[in-house]
């Protein structure tokens, strides 16, 4: 099971490969706001744990295990952004809030949130009722 830090790297690497077709140390470092030497150390650890294959000066590729975990992490992040937006969290707070909570929720909790999002998406009137309630309770404050 990857650590929260490993998850951040796998998520970033997966997104870079999906968007650009490759992931360079400099791109990973920039995206995670860390030093390239930290990226190299983590890449070596991820290679050892068989999430990716890394060849010095040649680059890296995700293993099937790394792709599966990376996709799951990207999907989790997107789901949490969608959920927070749905319940009325302002856009300016969503990314930071997701970064703060995503590693602290169990996969069971993620599945429950996914079901709740699906519940609201299946019937827009449910979402409207939630928004009406939020306006009503905000007026009482």
């Amino acid at each position: 099971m990857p650590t929260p830090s490993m998850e951040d790297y796998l998520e970033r690497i997966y997104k870079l490969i999906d968007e650009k077709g490759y992931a360079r140390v400099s791109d990973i470092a920039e995206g995670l706001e860390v030093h390239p030497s930290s990226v190299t150390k983590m890449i070596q650890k991820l290679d050892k744990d068989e999430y990716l294959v890394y060849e010095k000066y040649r680059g890296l590729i995700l293993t099937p295990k790394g792709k599966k975990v990376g996709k799951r992490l990207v999907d989790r992040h997107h789901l949490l952004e969608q959920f927070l937006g749905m319940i009325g969290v302002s856009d300016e707070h969503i990314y930071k809030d997701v970064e703060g909570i995503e590693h602290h929720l169990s996969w069971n909790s993620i599945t429950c949130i996914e079901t709740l999002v699906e519940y609201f998406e299946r019937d827009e009137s449910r979402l409207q009722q939630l928004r009406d309630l939020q306006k009503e309770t905000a007026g009482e404050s």
Side-chain angles (χ1 to χ4, degrees):
M1 202 65 191
T3 65
S5 181
M6 291 167 76
E7 286 183 348
D8 286 339
Y9 279 85
L10 284 168
E11 182 179 352
R12 185 71 191 139
I13 291 166
Y14 182 88
K15 285 173 76 174
L16 282 167
I17 290 173
D18 188 49
E19 293 165 6
K20 299 171 106 175
Y22 60 89
R24 296 182 313 194
V25 168
S26 59
D27 295 327
I28 299 165
E30 181 182 324
L32 295 176
E33 299 177 350
V34 296
H35 287 61
S37 60
S38 299
V39 174
T40 300
K41 286 178 190 170
M42 181 58 79
I43 285 174
Q44 290 168 345
K45 180 168 180 40
L46 292 169
D47 183 15
K48 180 178 161 280
D49 291 349
E50 300 180 347
Y51 289 103
L52 55 81
V53 176
Y54 174 65
E55 292 182 32
K56 196 171 184 177
Y57 307 117
R58 300 210 60 174
L60 60 92
I61 58 166
L62 289 170
T63 62
K65 173 182 171 182
K67 286 180 188 173
K68 181 179 176 184
V69 171
K71 178 171 180 5
R72 190 172 183 200
L73 296 170
V74 168
D75 290 348
R76 175 184 70 184
H77 191 100
H78 175 72
L79 172 71
L80 291 172
E81 284 182 341
Q82 185 180 12
F83 172 68
L84 292 180
M86 194 174 270
I87 62 170
V89 175
S90 63
D91 290 344
E92 65 199 53
H93 297 301
I94 289 177
Y95 182 81
K96 187 174 180 183
D97 287 352
V98 169
E99 287 297 312
I101 65 173
E102 67 184 337
H103 302 296
H104 301 286
L105 295 172
S106 68
W107 285 104
N108 180 255
S109 293
I110 296 297
T111 301
C112 291
I113 290 170
E114 188 173 37
T115 302
L116 184 59
V117 166
E118 178 71 21
Y119 172 80
F120 283 119
E121 286 182 334
R122 284 189 183 186
D123 185 345
E124 282 292 317
S125 68
R126 295 171 180 158
L127 192 53
Q128 189 56 53
Q129 287 173 346
L130 174 64
R131 292 193 174 126
D132 291 345
L133 179 61
Q134 287 171 326
K135 287 178 189 172
E136 184 182 311
T137 56
E140 292 174 5
S141 302

